[in-house]
Amino acid sequence: MTTSRLPLVAALLAGVAFAAPAMAQECATGPVTVGLLPKLDTDPYFQVAKGGAEDAAKEIGGSVVQAAPSQATAEAQIEFINNFVAQKVGVIAIAGNDANAVAPALKRAAKEGIRIISYDSDVAADARTVFVNQVKGESLAEMMLQSMHDLIGGEGEFAILSSTATATNQNAWIDFMKQKIASDEKYGKMKLVQVAYGEESEQVNQQQALALAQAFPNLKGIIVPAGIGLPAAARALEQAGSLDKIKLTGLAPATLMKKYIEAGQAQDIWWNVTDLGYLTYHAAQAVAQCKLTGKEGESFTAGRLGEYKVGTSGEIVLGLAKIVTPENLAEFKF
């Protein structure tokens, strides 16, 4: 007998109970409870997405529970992942605050038999089955850059006011915009002077917008790819009397930017947020019932939205966004 087996044999002889192996993931035979874990509990964007998920639940069964931290950090999300495990939800759908930092906790949840998907902001691909993306990232990034180009006449200094330095989707958009500026002559006269961060806080976004205006006297525009940040920056620059000089564009509920869009001081890039929650719920149930495994080319039907296919790296794309202008503003109810 080898020495490595001695502790095991001794323990068995002593009647010590060993922990059972982690629960295997079984295919659900019907609708399950889906735990939605947004980036932040105070962001109205995620409340609207939750409403879409609840609409889907009414149609196909199952239930939705949503819980999120008051700070947009990976550490705060990990606690909620663990809480969902304790509640024994069937699926966790997470909008990641940090792609990699939450991955170990998600993998532990999977070992307990819980399926994992991401929506809005992805997590590490090996920690989830599918990612429900609101719009193809490169398309969204190019729309923001195109919008800024149009607002400032295609030339001059502009800044980006992102949410956090670890936000997966926003970092990807910023990288794409930098590459586009460097490679496309169309944007050759535009100069990105700084990337700042609003830390998912209305107050910090206001402070950062004013700081950018002060630091760069020739600043002509700011791209704000964050739902909380864009209206906060608009209010701050409006109060400072700088909004006619410094144009804004980015991502936010169109209704919150309505007066600035109508005044020609801002544009917005947006999509149907209710549909994002609706699609996420359908995808979660399909994953729970093993109808989706994340393999490229798989298809499923998402109720009134119709058929969707899984793309590369398990990505499911809701559809196309639009640049919101005075001409099409009435299309957007949120």
Side-chain angles (χ1 to χ4, degrees):
M1 183 181 296
T2 61
T3 55
S4 63
R5 294 177 59 187
L6 287 174
L8 174 61
V9 173
L12 289 171
L13 291 173
V16 176
F18 281 84
M23 184 187 303
Q25 286 189 320
E26 297 181 357
C27 300
T29 57
V32 300
T33 297
V34 177
L36 294 179
L37 178 45
K39 293 180 178 181
L40 195 67
D41 65 349
T42 55
D43 191 338
Y45 172 92
F46 289 109
Q47 296 301 324
V48 174
K50 178 191 175 190
E54 290 172 336
D55 289 344
K58 290 174 185 176
E59 293 176 6
I60 64 173
S63 60
V64 178
V65 291
Q66 177 163 296
S70 56
Q71 292 183 319
T73 66
E75 292 75 15
Q77 280 190 313
I78 288 169
E79 179 182 346
F80 286 85
I81 293 169
N82 295 336
N83 288 343
F84 276 143
V85 172
Q87 293 176 43
K88 301 187 186 302
V89 299
V91 181
I92 293 174
I94 181 172
N97 280 322
D98 185 310
N100 297 312
V102 296
L106 293 172
K107 290 176 181 178
R108 288 193 296 271
K111 288 181 179 178
E112 294 297 321
I114 296 171
R115 304 280 176 172
I116 309 297
I117 72 169
S118 57
Y119 74 112
D120 179 74
S121 180
D122 202 6
V123 297
D126 63 349
R128 50 77 173 160
T129 303
V130 295
F131 166 44
V132 182
N133 197 354
Q134 57 267 46
V135 64
K136 201 70 176 174
E138 290 185 358
S139 167
L140 199 57
E142 187 154 14
M143 282 185 180
M144 284 188 272
L145 194 58
Q146 175 67 54
S147 177
M148 179 53 58
H149 174 278
D150 294 348
L151 284 168
I152 67 175
E155 61 180 273
E157 296 181 352
F158 76 100
I160 295 174
L161 178 53
S162 191
S163 59
T164 66
T166 58
T168 314
N169 50 355
Q170 291 167 25
N171 284 342
W173 299 334
I174 292 167
D175 287 343
F176 178 86
M177 284 188 270
K178 288 178 177 178
Q179 293 168 15
K180 198 72 175 175
I181 292 168
S183 62
D184 192 332
E185 291 183 2
K186 176 179 179 179
Y187 304 108
K189 295 182 179 180
M190 293 173 61
K191 181 181 179 182
L192 175 59
V193 292
Q194 187 171 323
V195 178
Y197 301 97
E199 303 299 336
E200 293 282 7
S201 161
E202 183 174 337
Q203 183 179 6
V204 175
N205 273 291
Q206 290 175 336
Q207 292 169 347
Q208 290 286 6
L210 294 173
L212 287 168
Q214 185 173 10
F216 302 99
N218 296 320
L219 193 69
K220 296 180 70 174
I222 304 174
I223 295 175
V224 192
I228 291 176
L230 185 55
R235 285 191 294 271
L237 293 178
E238 180 183 32
Q239 291 169 6
S242 302
L243 198 49
D244 286 317
K245 177 190 173 188
I246 300 173
K247 305 297 185 182
L248 294 175
T249 191
L251 308 181
T255 51
L256 297 183
M257 294 298 294
K258 181 178 179 180
K259 74 172 184 177
Y260 306 111
I261 294 171
E262 289 176 336
Q265 299 165 324
Q267 290 182 354
D268 191 17
I269 291 85
W270 209 232
W271 51 89
N272 191 311
V273 181
T274 300
D275 285 352
L276 177 63
Y278 184 91
L279 178 59
T280 297
Y281 187 83
H282 274 276
Q285 295 294 354
V287 168
Q289 297 170 43
C290 300
K291 296 175 183 176
L292 277 183
T293 66
K295 183 179 179 181
E296 184 175 355
E298 288 180 327
S299 63
F300 70 107
T301 300
R304 58 177 169 75
L305 297 180
E307 186 175 284
Y308 282 83
K309 282 192 174 182
V310 178
T312 57
S313 301
E315 184 182 42
I316 300 166
V317 181
L318 173 63
L320 294 174
K322 291 185 178 181
I323 297 177
V324 186
T325 65
E327 289 70 32
N328 64 8
L329 181 59
E331 296 179 23
F332 299 87
K333 307 303 180 185
F334 172 72

